């Protein structure tokens, strides 16, 4: 007899509102999307959404592992920068900084960073096709 764990499933619906913006809906949340060809400064464009998803993945991974590691944490800030390649269009490279407000040792910060890289769903989806690297450091 084999144990087949139930896989997590996700559902998002997106729709065009007009030539300037669209929206994505998930659960009871709504995000305005920049789908305007000239840009919309009041919304995230698709590349920015990707970088936001990556940073949210990192923060969520930290939230998940902090209690397990008994890691003392006052705050987290993630800075992500991406470079787009034109042909073929793709995110060529992504650099990140995870800044943790903690009194933990450097070894424990490295352990936390290893967990973020090992168990992040978005991180592990993006990493194989992108030059993805970064650091975790103390605030």
């Amino acid at each position: 007899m084999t144990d087949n764990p139930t896989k997590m499933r996700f559902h998002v619906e997106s729709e065009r509102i007009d030539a300037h913006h669209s929206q994505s809906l998930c659960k009871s949340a709504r995000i305005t999307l920049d789908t305007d060809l000239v840009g919309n400064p009041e919304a995230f464009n698709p590349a920015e959404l990707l970088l936001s998803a990556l940073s949210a993945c990192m923060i969520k991974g930290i939230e998940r592992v902090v209690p397990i590691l008994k890691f003392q944490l006052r705050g987290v800030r993630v800075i992500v920068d991406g470079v787009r390649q034109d042909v073929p269009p793709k995110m060529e490279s992504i650099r990140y900084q995870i800044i943790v407000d903690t009194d933990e040792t450097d070894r424990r910060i490295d352990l936390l960073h290893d967990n973020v890289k090992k168990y992040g769903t978005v991180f592990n989806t993006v990493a194989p096709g992108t030059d993805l690297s970064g650091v975790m450091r103390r605030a």
Side-chain angles (χ1 to χ4, degrees), residues 4 29 88 119 138:
N4 289 328
Y119 297 110
R138 186 182 322 280

Side-chain angles (χ1 to χ4, degrees), residues 6-115:
T6 302
K7 294 183 180 182
M8 293 181 70
R9 298 192 180 278
F10 304 92
H11 179 81
V12 174
E13 293 185 22
S14 299
E15 63 181 333
R16 178 185 187 268
I17 303 302
D18 56 35
H20 306 290
H21 68 284
S22 300
Q23 68 179 357
S24 283
L25 305 149
C26 176
K27 301 174 275 197
S28 60
R30 177 184 316 262
I31 298 174
T32 301
L33 308 174
D34 172 8
T35 52
D36 191 320
L37 293 179
V38 297
N40 179 344
E42 296 184 10
F44 285 70
N45 69 35
E48 293 160 341
L49 283 167
L50 177 69
L51 300 180
S52 294
L54 180 61
S55 63
C57 175
M58 293 173 181
I59 295 170
K60 188 163 187 163
I62 289 168
E63 294 293 347
R64 184 180 300 115
V65 77
V66 158
I68 296 166
L69 298 177
K70 296 179 179 25
F71 193 97
Q72 298 300 309
L73 182 69
R74 289 181 295 273
V76 178
R77 182 168 169 231
V78 179
I79 301 168
V80 184
D81 294 292
V83 175
R84 182 184 183 273
Q85 169 183 300
D86 283 336
V87 180
K90 71 174 203 164
M91 199 58 76
E92 176 181 278
S93 65
I94 298 173
R95 298 292 175 263
Y96 66 86
Q97 296 178 59
I98 305 170
I99 304 156
V100 292
D101 186 3
T102 185
D103 294 324
E104 297 279 357
T105 66
D106 289 346
R107 185 186 69 76
R108 299 261 297 154
I109 292 172
D110 289 343
L111 177 63
L112 184 62
H113 191 203
D114 289 344
N115 274 272

